[in-house]
Amino acid sequence: KPSSLSGLPAGVGDALEAEGVAELYPPQAAAVEAGILEGESLVAAVPTASGKTLIAELAMLSAVERGGKALYIVPLRALASEKKAEFERWEDHGVTVGVSTGNYDSDGEWLATRDIIVATSEKVDSLVRNGAPWIDDLTCVVSDEVHLVDDSHRGPTLEVTLAKLRRVNPGLQTVALSATVGNADVIADWLDAELVESDWRPIDLRVGVHYGNAINFDDGSQREVRVDRGGDQTAALVADALDTEADGQGGSSLVFVNSRRNAESAARRLGEVTASRLTDDERDELRELASELRDVSDTETSTDLASAVEEGAAFHHAGLASEHRSLIEDAFRDRLVKCVCATPTLAAGVNTPARRVIVRDWRRYDGDYGGMKPLDVLEVHQMCGRAGRPGLDPYGEAVLLASSADTMDELFDRYIWAEAEPVRSKLAVEPALRTHVLATVASGFASTREGLLEFLDNTLYATQTDDAGRLESVTDRVLEYLEINGFIEREWSGNRETLTATGIGHTVSRLYLDPMSAATMIDGLREACADGGDDRSADYAFSGTGVEGDGDGIETSEGEGDDGPFGTYSLSDVDAGAETGAGAGGANGESAGEEKTEGAARELTPLGLYHLVSRTPDTYELYLKSGDRETYEELLYEREEELLGDAPSAYDDVNFEDWLASLKTARLLEDWASEVDEDRITERYGVGPGDVRGKVETAEWLLRAAETLARDVEGVDGDAVLAVREARKRVEYGVREELLDLAGVRGIGRKRARRLYEAGIESRVDLREAEKAVVLGALRGRERTAERILEHAGREDPSMEGVRADRSASAAAT
Ligand code: ADP
């Protein structure tokens, strides 16, 4: 029983019981047995939804009770706030909680006062690089979904971060939570941890394959689910779940499909099934939810989502805005939305159980593979694990779909009877090591080549590999790259080689840039500033205007912004994009050593800068679709003058396409910074609103970093710094130059700024002095909004009481 556990803060046990945790689940009891309340390290490899979070909470709370400090590492930014909200209930028991999001270049000092801190692995990595003082005080670290060390893009960061934390704090309690994987014992070995491995689930799970007119379950039983002639299996299964729910409530289904487009079209189709099964009350509530969804943004996605929701169905994917996602997740948990069609993001950690899970697509297009590739067993198991709501359903059902008896057999073998793949470290590749070797040297974890290799010996890679030579040879290549680009210095004395990070190397590490991104940006900026004397010299006149006078609080509006480069991608999206950027960085050694040449700068335009940051490996560029090649080749020839760096020859197919793909990304950013409607942009580039925001955030972050680099390196002049800053602000606010001042006021945004401008209010100063009626008119009569904005603009008396909107102002503005 929770209340009989010792070592927890007073009242925690009783509170757990009051929440309905009458007794520990078996894996939780095993974890306690293994000593998590006394600081033992543990790997818990148990199925989805079997109470891993409580294992982590018990470890963290007992660590805090002993006077320590705990860190909970989440794989996705969306989960950070969810976990924080969950842990905040312990504040009644004197335990403080903080979440660290925001920019990757700060040290999050305020977190020193928190007992439990939640952050993504990238954020923790950057906190270590920035020398956050409280890192030394940690006594317990939890790694959620630790099997993601297998992810080729993000896994290495988690791996190196855990190794660093354990190196700084030798007695650190490490609690790693994992899905059931093939080799949890290897992870436990690596982390010197006890292992709790179990298949136990709080609610029975039946897994089966639907074929013909029945589901064939793994226990040999069958359930008849007839499909109308020419009808669709998914629709029949969704209808069946709704119709047979015993308590008349819900019987909800979660349908996993392989692309965003498929999620959207499936939701539209399944809406027909759910709509006819709604009560009048539900219909009213759904209508309300739909209007909330429409209010989130003015896009087609918003509209489509709202109309699906009115019918009781919804889609969920990484292209949605985060407000959309959480509204849908909540409504699904409340059983208001009856069916959600999702890409695999939803399987990865968001707690949204359903009565029935339908894995409609078990293959997904994979560019590297060159066709449709079967999903990993682990992924399918995680999807299936979302079936069954404890306390609501008698059991959960997960169903795969087959159109032939052969496929049915294949699905049983491939997924239902199969064990999940073993987790394998992805550390020993250049892009990963480039970043982590620099950071390891810069933050003083290693100062010699031997020390570096010894540090790397604490990683999962070293535990797993029998080819120690590979890590060494990749490390050597990376050291060479870092030296050539001026990020580290290597000095021999006797037979010892010392490694030190240069000033710029430290900056790059703290800015959380891939060294190749930094090299690409530095090269591009230097090239622009050098007087090359080529045929572009006619353009040598810098036109940076309008940004000099910006001391006035433009920076203030970014405050709580939850930004940074990784947040809006789903795991699968990250995967898909992971390697594409890597080959595109044209940076190399020769140019890094170039001497500063005096001379007027070439004109640096926003498009040129957006293209520069878009071709770094830190941006996931947009893909070229069919027909795009011509479009962007044309654009390339039109605007070649503005682009920095040398375009690869059109015969060099791969690199040339990369160059064009970056140009496509750059033009998306330029459109955004020219006030093109979000809706137009999503249509023009075939992306979701969440993607637009993701690109914008990444560009903002990289341009901010570019500005710092431009100030620090030789050979880049002050005008270039200003041009970078202006390009960054334009993309940050999504406005043209003349609106920069206005759009920087909190609460204004790109659309309102334009309306105010049209009504003759062109600056903050104007705002402070304008006729209130005109302001109110331009803001379409919204008094509260107008008051807030005037207050932020520093107006003495912002009250709108008794003011009547000037209709001509609002007419002028529309
Ligand atoms: P996981 O992290 O393993 O996917 P969660 O920790 O989210 O699963 O747990 C799933 C649900 O089970 C949560 O709603 C949690 O409150 C509940 N739960 C966990 N442990 C117990 C318990 N011992 N008794 C009752 N409910 C529990």
Side-chain angles (χ1 to χ4, degrees):
K1 271 174 85 89
S3 58
S4 62
L5 296 172
S6 54
L8 294 170
V12 164
D14 292 327
L16 281 171
E17 283 181 25
E19 273 172 23
V21 180
E23 53 184 325
L24 295 182
Y25 288 158
Q28 295 164 343
V32 169
E33 194 70 18
I36 47 155
L37 295 173
E38 290 95 44
E40 272 303 325
S41 291
L42 179 83
V43 170
V46 294
T48 316
S50 51
K52 288 194 285 289
T53 312
L54 184 56
I55 295 180
E57 288 180 295
L58 293 175
M60 295 192 296
L61 291 168
S62 61
V64 170
E65 180 65 8
R66 286 192 300 275
K69 189 177 183 71
L71 173 67
Y72 190 100
I73 305 178
V74 289
L76 283 175
R77 218 159 27 140
L79 289 176
S81 21
E82 191 174 285
K83 287 297 172 192
K84 173 187 175 244
E86 204 173 334
F87 300 153
E88 264 173 350
R89 68 196 200 281
W90 303 121
E91 298 206 327
D92 295 346
H93 302 273
V95 177
T96 55
V97 183
V99 61
S100 173
T101 51
N103 289 333
Y104 284 132
D105 49 7
S106 65
D107 67 6
E109 212 173 316
W110 65 280
L111 292 166
T113 61
R114 302 300 151 120
D115 299 318
I116 295 179
I117 295 162
V118 183
T120 60
S121 39
E122 286 77 16
K123 182 68 203 186
V124 178
D125 185 14
S126 98
L127 288 165
V128 172
R129 296 179 186 203
N130 285 282
W134 51 267
I135 293 282
D136 294 347
D137 304 335
L138 292 174
T139 59
C140 173
V141 59
V142 177
S143 172
D144 194 358
E145 312 254 350
V146 75
H147 54 268
L148 291 173
V149 290
D150 193 284
D151 183 285
S152 59
H153 179 64
R154 308 183 52 206
T157 301
L158 176 58
E159 198 178 328
V160 170
T161 301
L162 284 175
K164 280 187 186 164
L165 293 175
R166 285 159 47 76
R167 156 94 43 137
V168 180
N169 307 328
L172 185 68
Q173 176 182 24
T174 310
V175 176
L177 310 177
S178 168
T180 38
V181 293
N183 60 344
D185 54 327
V186 175
I187 302 179
D189 246 13
W190 165 44
L191 298 173
D192 304 311
E194 298 284 314
L195 175 64
V196 168
E197 199 172 10
S198 155
D199 286 331
W200 184 89
R201 289 178 42 102
I203 175 165
D204 276 345
L205 176 65
R206 301 163 71 184
V207 187
V209 178
H210 184 267
Y211 163 60
N213 285 314
I215 312 174
N216 302 277
F217 284 108
D218 52 351
D219 59 5
S221 67
Q222 279 202 330
R223 176 181 175 81
E224 182 176 285
V225 179
R226 299 209 145 264
V227 179
D228 305 337
R229 216 146 37 93
D232 122 29
Q233 286 170 290
T234 313
L237 288 162
V238 169
D240 176 67
L242 281 169
D243 293 343
T244 53
E245 176 71 4
D247 61 3
Q249 296 234 39
S252 55
S253 297
L254 184 52
V255 181
F256 286 108
V257 298
N258 60 8
S259 73
R260 298 174 184 189
R261 199 176 290 271
N262 282 335
E264 294 178 13
S265 58
R268 207 173 310 127
R269 225 163 336 108
L270 295 170
E272 291 169 24
V273 177
T274 50
S276 61
R277 290 166 171 85
L278 297 171
T279 65
D280 288 344
D281 284 351
E282 287 176 333
R283 231 170 252 128
D284 290 343
E285 282 182 66
L286 286 167
R287 220 167 286 135
E288 230 165 87
L289 174 61
S291 88
E292 267 182 83
L293 290 165
R294 282 194 192 93
D295 283 348
V296 170
S297 68
D298 231 359
T299 60
E300 207 177 298
T301 310
S302 221
T303 316
D304 289 351
L305 186 61
S307 24
V309 160
E310 278 175 343
E311 314 274 288
F315 52 88
H316 186 290
H317 58 56
L320 294 183
S322 60
E323 299 96 302
H324 279 145
R325 283 209 294 262
S326 54
L327 284 169
I328 295 300
E329 286 159 22
D330 290 346
F332 190 60
R333 275 192 291 260
D334 293 344
R335 298 192 264 176
L336 185 58
V337 166
K338 308 293 179 194
C339 170
V340 170
C341 303
T343 54
T345 352
L346 201 59
V350 187
N351 188 16
T352 46
R355 164 68 184 278
R356 182 173 277 173
V357 164
I358 301 167
V359 182
R360 197 197 74 176
D361 300 334
W362 56 279
R363 281 178 291 215
R364 152 173 75 210
Y365 182 78
D366 183 315
D368 297 334
Y369 184 80
M372 300 298 282
K373 186 180 178 191
L375 301 179
D376 288 346
V377 179
L378 181 61
E379 265 181 299
V380 171
H381 284 185
Q382 285 199 296
M383 294 175 191
C384 293
R386 291 286 158 212
R389 300 159 301 177
L392 290 175
D393 297 321
Y395 50 82
E397 291 172 341
V399 187
L400 288 84
L401 308 186
S403 54
S404 73
D406 283 349
T407 312
M408 177 164 76
D409 292 342
E410 182 184 350
L411 291 178
F412 266 98
D413 288 342
R414 184 186 277 279
Y415 295 116
I416 298 182
W417 306 132
E419 223 185 52
E421 296 82 2
V423 166
R424 300 219 49 105
S425 166
K426 298 294 193 296
L427 185 63
V429 293
E430 259 178 76
L433 278 182
R434 213 160 47 211
T435 299
H436 292 299
V437 163
L438 177 59
T440 302
V441 173
S443 11
F445 283 91
S447 58
T448 61
R449 178 177 172 278
E450 286 62 42
L452 184 62
L453 291 171
E454 188 202 313
F455 170 77
L456 293 172
D457 210 36
N458 293 317
T459 58
L460 174 63
Y461 183 85
T463 312
Q464 282 192 312
T465 187
D466 13 301
D467 179 10
R470 178 169 161 74
L471 194 59
E472 208 173 319
S473 64
V474 181
T475 303
D476 283 332
R477 275 206 302 281
V478 162
L479 284 174
E480 206 169 305
Y481 177 89
L482 294 174
E483 188 189 16
I484 288 176
N485 281 286
F487 299 140
I488 60 166
E489 273 164 9
R490 313 168 70 167
E491 237 174 298
W492 284 94
S493 68
N495 58 358
R496 257 172 82 86
E497 185 183 22
T498 324
L499 307 173
T500 37
T502 60
I504 200 77
H506 276 286
T507 307
V508 170
S509 170
R510 275 198 306 269
L511 288 171
Y512 209 74
L513 293 172
D514 181 331
M516 187 184 272
S517 299
T520 304
M521 296 196 293
I522 292 171
D523 282 356
L525 291 171
R526 276 190 178 139
E527 182 206 295
C529 294
D531 183 3
D534 62 14
D535 58 0
R536 286 156 167 166
S537 50
D539 295 320
Y540 285 6
F542 172 69
S543 73
T545 50
V547 287
E548 286 87 345
D550 103 284
D552 188 26
I554 288 198
E555 307 283 357
T556 55
S557 69
E558 62 208 22
E560 299 83 359
D562 178 14
D563 37 302
F566 300 103
T568 41
Y569 301 98
S570 75
L571 295 174
S572 47
D573 289 345
V574 166
D575 243 350
E579 302 297 335
T580 56
N588 57 38
E590 287 91 282
S591 42
E594 258 170 33
E595 281 304 301
K596 180 179 167 130
T597 1
E598 296 298 334
R602 203 171 111 209
E603 188 173 15
L604 276 171
T605 66
L607 183 83
L609 290 165
Y610 299 153
H611 183 253
L612 181 64
V613 300
S614 296
R615 64 188 176 80
T616 68
D618 278 309
T619 300
Y620 306 108
E621 64 207 7
L622 296 170
Y623 289 103
L624 292 185
K625 303 202 166 136
S626 67
D628 274 358
R629 187 166 164 137
E630 292 72 45
T631 312
Y632 291 99
E633 252 186 275
E634 213 167 285
L635 187 69
L636 172 64
Y637 297 123
E638 242 168 67
R639 306 193 55 185
E640 199 166 11
E641 307 273 278
E642 296 177 52
L643 306 186
L644 305 167
D646 295 324
S649 138
Y651 296 109
D652 178 359
D653 236 16
V654 173
N655 286 326
F656 188 65
E657 293 228 343
D658 261 343
W659 189 268
L660 294 181
S662 312
L663 185 58
K664 180 176 176 183
T665 314
R667 199 182 56 166
L668 180 151
L669 294 167
E670 189 191 46
D671 278 358
W672 172 255
S674 312
E675 295 169 56
V676 175
D677 268 350
E678 202 175 346
D679 211 7
R680 258 314 312 276
I681 296 179
T682 54
E683 194 186 310
R684 192 168 189 184
Y685 299 94
V687 297
D691 300 308
V692 178
R693 286 176 210 196
K695 294 281 176 278
V696 165
E697 281 180 6
T698 304
E700 204 185 311
W701 164 61
L702 288 171
L703 287 165
R704 207 181 282 276
E707 191 182 326
T708 308
L709 292 174
R711 260 193 256 107
D712 284 10
V713 297
E714 303 252 302
V716 178
D717 55 46
D719 284 346
V721 175
L722 291 176
V724 173
R725 188 184 307 165
E726 177 170 332
R728 192 254 297 162
K729 284 191 173 148
R730 291 214 15 218
V731 85
E732 179 173 356
Y733 304 133
V735 296
R736 291 178 210 234
E737 202 178 315
E738 69 267 22
L739 294 188
L740 280 175
D741 185 36
L742 271 184
V745 177
R746 221 161 123 187
I748 290 194
R750 64 204 298 250
K751 291 196 171 164
R752 286 177 182 154
R754 180 52 65 190
R755 288 204 296 269
L756 287 165
Y757 194 89
E758 302 283 321
I761 300 166
E762 301 185 357
S763 67
R764 283 162 208 251
V765 175
D766 290 354
L767 253 187
R768 286 198 282 266
E769 287 158 9
E771 290 275 351
K772 285 182 178 175
V774 177
V775 176
L776 192 57
L779 297 173
R780 305 197 160 150
R782 296 191 189 216
E783 288 177 28
R784 285 246 329 255
T785 307
E787 285 174 354
R788 245 190 316 123
I789 287 174
L790 288 188
E791 202 181 318
H792 292 315
R795 188 144 174 162
E796 300 248 311
D797 132 57
S799 165
M800 285 283 158
E801 226 177 273
V803 178
R804 289 186 141 229
D806 177 343
R807 301 212 164 233
S808 64
S810 87
T814 40

